Amino acid sequence: MSSTVVADAKFLRRVLFGLVGLTLMTGALAGFTTVQAMNATPGECLFFCK
């Protein structure tokens, strides 16, 4: 294979793993905030309270 094809494959692999990693982090954050919201008592402020 030519070096251009190999470089493109490496770049696309990095992009794919980056997107998968971001998706996992976003899902974990969404799950965490959902659990926090479900466990909060009504009227309780969790974030950015004054």
Side-chain angles (χ1 to χ4, degrees):
M1 286 197 303
S2 69
S3 61
T4 304
V5 173
V6 173
D8 287 344
K10 286 182 180 180
F11 172 75
L12 291 174
R13 190 174 299 122
R14 269 190 249 132
V15 169
L16 175 65
F17 285 137
L19 289 173
V20 169
L22 285 173
T23 302
L24 290 173
M25 287 190 302
T26 303
L29 184 60
F32 173 75
T33 55
T34 301
V35 169
Q36 292 296 317
M38 289 175 63
N39 291 333
T41 58
E44 182 181 356
C45 181
L46 297 175
F47 298 110
F48 305 114
C49 304
K50 289 189 175 188

